[in-house]
Amino acid sequence: MLRLFPLLLPLLLCTCGPAQENTPTAPRTGPPNVVIIYMDDMGFGDLSSYGHPNIQTPNVDRLAREGQRWTSFYTASSVCSPSRGALLTGRYPIRIGLAGPQKRVFFPDSKGGLPTEEITIAEMLQSEGYATACIGKWHLGHLPEYLPTRQGFDYYFGIPYSNDMDGIKWGLDYLLGPMDTSLWKVPLLENETEIQRPANQFTITKRYTEKAVEFITGQRDSPFFLYLPHSMVHTPLFASEAFQGKSPRGRFGDAMAEVDWSVGEITKALEELGLAENTLIIFSSDNGPWLSMREHGGSAGLLKDGKGTTWEGGMRVPGIFYQPGSVAPGTITDMGSTLDLLPTLAAWTGAQAPTDRILDGFDLSAVLRERAPSPRDHMLFYRKDELFAARRGDYKAHFITATCYRPDNMREVHATPLLYHLHHDPSEVYDKAVEHPEVLAEIQEMVDNHSRTVVRVEAEMDRR
Ligand code: MG
């Protein structure tokens, strides 16, 4: 009946209604659509709504202003592949084969991928009758058996790994040099077919956007899930001609502006189709800024360090939720995580989250609906297969630290963990370990309890 309704409506309007021009499409009721827009390497400080002084992101800012803007929102990893796997499954990378002793992400010679026995948000929603699409960077295994089409997505359009991979040579001269899309042989896939190699990165944000709008328009009459992990703003930075040289923030700002335009196009399409009020849009980033890319990398704002680290700058990212009439607007300072998306979306859509395995996510739907306190009271910070840090309430303890994504990362094991009060000291400067041994003991107990639940599995990224 629900599916017939949109077909019948124009007939009813034709027989008894006034002229049809400018009549908005009637809102579709029923299970809400879900759109997840996931940035690559965009830091906590790279949106104007999160304090950047000259990057302009009016379309994202509107979602933040009219929806919820979370300020303690975490990814489950500080690098691409494990972060994406955790988002899609609601499980820490250590449980799903995405945390090993060697490689941190998948490379073009990797043999592994997100294990197909894991249940993704796409599979969960697909089994409820949702149409599902992944448009963008996958990075959870590029061999056919691991592509999005085998992980719950009806449709895939995008690059299978990072835009700096498969290069003729890897180094700052190339990454930060003149924009030349032929330096990286990264393929562009549609479903399981390679349609362009190298992918034209100048137009990639534009083409993702066109495909996304096309998918939304085609699915207007039935519920859909769109997962849109942008390739930008991962170095090398590209933007289409209309955006080149326009931002005072340089190439990074140009790429940000184009993604912001993309968010505007998607929002506009949903509004024109009468779907805005029945669509939850979630906007976040896979990890913090890639600081070793100099001014081509983003910014973590007032947070310490960036991508690749378990400091706040590596894993605390913007988190925005928007659904007019359903998400109560406001700024949320409680903790949330991309790990929480699967259970939250199960509650939001009426789908069934998996019950046969440990989920690390919490259902945030009451926070979204009525700004209830967040059920998430802790967060664990892994680097590869080691637990480096843990947050419980206001405090975060670091057992091991290392700096950014470089070989000389100055790894340090702390006999007495470092302890920071993240509300008083979001930049992690003033160590409170000596003053609060009882807090350290509580965090240690929490970590021990967690570690007892972890069953080590083969690291997929280390399979060659
Ligand atoms: Mg990334």
Side-chain angles (χ1 to χ4, degrees):
M1 182 58 203
L2 272 177
R3 288 177 188 222
L4 282 175
F5 183 66
L7 297 173
L8 292 172
L9 186 68
L11 293 174
L12 292 172
L13 290 172
C14 284
T15 49
C16 54
Q20 295 307 296
E21 295 112 276
N22 304 324
T23 304
T25 311
R28 173 169 65 71
T29 52
N33 309 304
V34 177
V35 175
I36 298 178
I37 302 171
Y38 205 39
M39 297 294 293
D40 198 350
D41 293 6
M42 184 195 79
F44 186 75
D46 286 322
L47 296 169
S48 28
S49 43
Y50 281 74
H52 197 280
N54 67 11
I55 293 176
Q56 295 300 316
T57 49
N59 293 299
V60 179
D61 297 349
R62 182 187 155 207
L63 307 186
R65 189 173 61 246
E66 297 176 11
Q68 287 187 1
R69 185 181 72 105
W70 288 59
T71 59
S72 281
F73 196 75
Y74 291 102
T75 66
S77 170
S78 65
V79 289
C80 296
S81 300
S83 173
R84 286 148 205 272
L87 178 148
L88 288 172
T89 61
R91 284 152 62 75
Y92 279 114
I94 192 77
R95 299 195 201 277
I96 57 176
L98 299 183
Q102 293 164 32
K103 299 289 184 189
R104 301 178 71 181
V105 299
F106 291 109
F107 287 89
D109 63 345
S110 298
K111 296 276 185 285
L114 174 67
T116 49
E117 57 270 25
E118 293 298 331
I119 296 173
T120 65
I121 293 172
E123 284 164 328
M124 178 180 82
L125 294 177
Q126 196 179 46
S127 68
E128 298 290 323
Y130 276 65
T132 55
C134 171
I135 296 172
K137 167 176 156 179
W138 177 238
H139 216 181
L140 287 170
H142 65 278
L143 297 180
E145 59 267 36
Y146 297 114
L147 287 175
T149 41
R150 314 288 180 100
Q151 302 276 20
F153 291 98
D154 304 328
Y155 178 72
Y156 175 53
F157 180 90
I159 61 174
Y161 37 71
S162 293
N163 67 335
D164 66 329
M165 290 182 174
D166 248 352
I168 52 166
K169 202 172 166 184
W170 199 93
L172 284 185
D173 287 353
Y174 293 89
L175 289 161
L176 312 185
M179 281 190 277
D180 180 354
T181 199
S182 69
L183 294 175
W184 293 275
K185 297 199 307 290
V186 57
L188 181 70
L189 306 184
E190 184 156 37
N191 294 317
E192 300 184 5
T193 307
E194 188 180 298
I195 57 168
Q196 188 178 53
R197 189 169 196 170
N200 182 347
Q201 299 203 42
F202 286 103
T203 55
I204 207 155
T205 301
K206 194 164 169 246
R207 283 185 289 169
Y208 287 167
T209 308
E210 287 163 1
K211 290 289 180 187
V213 170
E214 202 178 297
F215 172 73
I216 290 170
T217 307
Q219 300 305 325
R220 61 195 296 176
D221 296 336
S222 58
F224 61 81
F225 169 48
L226 169 63
Y227 171 55
L228 176 49
H230 277 286
S231 309
M232 290 295 116
V233 282
H234 190 289
T235 316
L237 298 168
F238 287 91
S240 60
E241 221 173 306
F243 293 89
Q244 286 171 27
K246 299 285 163 63
S247 169
R249 175 62 176 82
R251 259 159 75 175
F252 188 89
D254 292 345
M256 282 294 299
E258 188 160 18
V259 172
D260 183 73
W261 162 83
S262 172
V263 170
E265 290 298 296
I266 287 165
T267 313
K268 191 169 77 187
L270 292 168
E271 283 163 0
E272 286 173 359
L273 293 165
L275 298 174
E277 274 150 30
N278 202 33
T279 303
L280 176 64
I281 303 180
I282 301 167
F283 181 91
S284 193
S285 180
D286 69 335
N287 50 250
W290 200 0
L291 298 177
S292 41
M293 292 297 121
R294 304 182 189 177
E295 67 268 42
H296 286 229
S299 164
L302 83 175
L303 304 177
K304 191 170 195 164
D305 219 307
K307 174 178 181 174
T309 80
T310 46
W311 295 105
E312 289 289 289
M315 292 170 65
R316 199 197 290 205
V317 289
I320 296 169
F321 295 80
Y322 171 82
Q323 183 176 342
S326 296
V327 170
T331 294
I332 307 295
T333 59
D334 283 358
M335 256 185 276
S337 169
T338 52
L339 286 167
D340 303 330
L341 298 186
L342 184 142
T344 303
L345 292 174
W348 204 254
T349 63
Q352 178 63 56
T355 53
D356 62 343
R357 60 199 71 203
I358 294 174
L359 290 183
D360 296 300
F362 292 89
D363 170 9
L364 305 179
S365 59
V367 194
L368 299 186
R369 246 180 243 295
E370 63 218 40
R371 302 184 56 182
S374 173
R376 175 170 286 282
D377 62 352
H378 70 276
M379 188 70 205
L380 303 170
F381 301 78
Y382 277 90
R383 181 179 173 125
K384 294 186 178 177
D385 57 350
E386 288 181 298
L387 195 139
F388 267 42
R391 175 174 176 181
R392 183 174 180 276
D394 298 342
Y395 283 97
K396 178 177 174 187
H398 292 265
F399 307 98
I400 311 172
T401 52
T403 58
C404 195
Y405 200 47
R406 296 188 302 249
D408 58 340
N409 57 48
M410 297 187 294
R411 176 193 162 92
E412 211 178 330
V413 179
H414 301 280
T416 302
L418 307 173
L419 184 70
Y420 300 102
H421 188 295
L422 289 181
H423 284 298
H424 296 170
D425 177 23
S427 305
E428 300 174 283
V429 177
Y430 307 105
D431 183 8
K432 300 290 177 186
V434 176
E435 287 161 64
H436 292 291
E438 79 290 354
V439 173
L440 274 182
E442 285 166 12
I443 293 178
Q444 186 61 58
E445 191 189 342
M446 176 185 85
V447 166
D448 293 343
N449 289 338
H450 158 78
S451 299
R452 278 193 283 275
T453 72
V454 173
V455 178
R456 301 262 162 177
V457 292
E458 187 190 5
E460 292 287 329
M461 273 103 62
D462 292 340
R463 283 174 55 204
R464 282 291 187 279

